[in-house]
Amino acid sequence: MQKTLHAAELRSQIATVLRAAGSSSQEADTVAANLVLANLTGHDSHGVGMLPRYVDAVLEGGLKPNSSVRVVLDTGSLLTLDGQRGYGQVVGEQAMALGIARAQTHGSCIMTLAAAHHLGRIGHFAEMAVAAGLVSMHFVNVLSRPVVAPFGGADGRYGTNPCCIGIPLKGRSPFVLDFATSRVAQGKMRVAYNEGRRVEIGTLIDEDGRPTTDPGVVVVPQSKGLFGALLAFGEHKGYGLAVACELLGGALTGSGTWHRPTDPAVRAVINGMLTILIDPARLGTQAAFEQEALAFIDWLTAGPVAPGFDAVQIAGDPERARRVQREAAGITVDAQTWREIVGAGHKVGVTLPDGVPQRHERHAG
């Protein structure tokens, strides 16, 4: 049965497990807040359901609590950074703070971040940039079990490789485009599997390369210990963008690309990210940028609304609406995901309630 928790209570319980797994209080609070924010935004794939994998990665040594980003090269507008396998939610924010400061000083910054553990929702970093008035572009690769098939291929050869673009809009909520280059994120398949749901045809292939709607093919081993795979969005176009993310986020950053056999026992998820930050005010086009950007957004949203839709939206609108709704109504966690979170707590000596408390209940402490 699905249950609902207030965001504050969920943050507290997740942080408790993270501290027990070796994180400082500050790090635990940062990671927990980021995970819960992903849930609030509607991206449950990058939310608290990742905690069990994080705990396993810490215990196996692939994720290093309390690691900070290390500056390898700093030429002002160029930054080369090493995440040292620290929590991506922490080293990612540290990297963005450095990059934003350089872009504000020099007008732009090209930043590479290598060897960060799972960065989570990349849109969070774009939101940091647009809040500072900057345009940002992010290209990310994923070193973990390869779960996406190349166009024309029949098994997983690379990760979900997200791409993200953030653009500030004067006096408006920003444009934040954040998507996996697979048709859906791997984490959404974990959520669907835990909830016992099938998925849309055209999303997955099974271990024999045949179309399937069973999300379990990319969550648990199938026949002969093999897995199925996700498909790229947009056929060859999404596949091409995914390869670009691998080459830019993995090869150019020095973080590494995927080209080796899979070890299903390894739980760490390593990301490399290329980030490009631009200050429109320093380009000499600020006035035109602000005027033309708003004129185009207004043009888009003023058009007729298609049947079945409430409004024409831009990237970022659905997430902002979901955030408001879930802040008020609470965050739903399916029973299987909560059992996994409880199990992760047990591994580090923390006992969480086996049942998820309802949002209308009050709890001591």
Side-chain angles (χ1 to χ4, degrees):
M1 177 185 295
Q2 292 184 332
K3 305 286 185 175
T4 305
L5 295 93
H6 282 303
E9 183 173 19
L10 190 53
R11 280 191 291 266
S12 175
Q13 295 192 16
I14 298 304
T16 297
V17 176
L18 291 166
R19 283 192 293 272
S23 289
S24 67
S25 290
Q26 182 177 359
E27 177 174 90
D29 289 344
T30 297
V31 176
N34 184 284
L35 293 175
V36 172
L37 181 60
N39 288 106
L40 286 171
T41 306
H43 292 283
D44 296 319
S45 56
H46 292 69
V48 298
M50 290 299 301
L51 180 70
R53 183 156 192 170
Y54 290 179
V55 170
D56 286 344
V58 170
L59 295 176
E60 78 181 9
L63 168 54
K64 310 290 187 182
N66 306 311
S67 295
S68 296
V69 73
R70 181 173 68 89
V71 178
V72 178
L73 175 74
D74 180 359
T75 68
S77 61
L78 288 171
L79 276 175
T80 303
L81 306 174
D82 180 0
Q84 302 193 100
R85 288 187 172 245
Y87 277 101
Q89 292 84 354
V90 174
V91 298
E93 286 191 359
Q94 292 172 345
M96 285 301 298
L98 290 170
I100 288 169
R102 299 302 187 279
Q104 289 172 328
T105 298
H106 302 285
S108 65
C109 180
I110 298 173
M111 177 181 75
T112 64
L113 174 62
H117 195 266
H118 188 237
L119 287 164
R121 188 177 67 89
I122 307 303
H124 175 65
F125 306 123
E127 289 167 354
M128 291 178 66
V130 296
L134 304 176
V135 171
S136 73
M137 291 170 274
H138 311 262
F139 304 89
V140 183
N141 84 319
V142 184
L143 297 186
S144 180
R145 178 169 58 84
V147 294
V148 187
F151 183 66
D155 70 348
R157 291 278 151 170
Y158 62 90
T160 52
N161 290 11
C163 179
C164 181
I165 300 172
I167 302 174
L169 299 171
K170 185 178 181 181
R172 308 273 187 90
S173 297
F175 173 93
V176 179
L177 178 65
D178 179 19
F179 60 95
T181 50
S182 54
R183 196 158 294 184
V184 293
Q186 164 71 2
K188 293 187 186 299
M189 297 299 94
R190 171 180 48 79
V191 172
Y193 177 73
N194 284 350
E195 293 178 350
R197 290 188 287 108
R198 309 292 285 194
V199 300
E200 291 183 11
I201 192 70
T203 301
L204 296 164
I205 54 176
D206 66 15
E207 68 274 24
D208 296 314
R210 299 172 302 199
T212 180
T213 61
D214 176 13
V217 300
V218 292
V219 178
V220 295
Q222 304 296 298
S223 59
K224 300 178 235 180
L226 300 175
F227 287 88
L230 293 160
L231 298 175
F233 85 89
E235 299 179 323
H236 61 284
K237 297 178 182 179
Y239 166 55
L241 182 56
V243 173
C245 287
E246 190 78 18
L247 297 176
L248 295 173
L252 185 62
T253 65
S255 194
T257 60
W258 191 272
H259 45 77
R260 54 186 175 276
T262 300
D263 182 354
V266 174
R267 304 299 289 164
V269 180
I270 304 303
N271 289 145
M273 179 169 70
L274 169 67
T275 296
I276 301 170
L277 298 165
I278 302 168
D279 184 352
R282 303 291 291 275
L283 281 175
T285 62
Q286 178 80 358
F289 168 66
E290 292 175 351
Q291 179 180 336
E292 290 298 318
L294 293 180
F296 181 60
I297 298 302
D298 287 342
W299 167 255
L300 290 176
T301 56
V305 178
F309 291 85
D310 296 325
V312 175
Q313 300 186 86
I314 65 166
D317 286 345
E319 288 83 357
R320 286 185 284 268
R322 185 64 61 86
R323 198 175 297 178
V324 170
Q325 182 245 330
R326 289 190 172 187
E327 283 279 13
I331 296 168
T332 297
V333 181
D334 68 86
Q336 177 58 30
T337 297
W338 187 254
R339 282 193 290 269
E340 293 173 359
I341 291 171
V342 170
H346 287 160
K347 291 180 181 180
V348 292
V350 171
T351 300
L352 296 176
D354 289 330
V356 185
Q358 297 286 354
R359 63 183 174 87
H360 60 266
E361 294 175 356
R362 301 184 66 86
H363 299 269

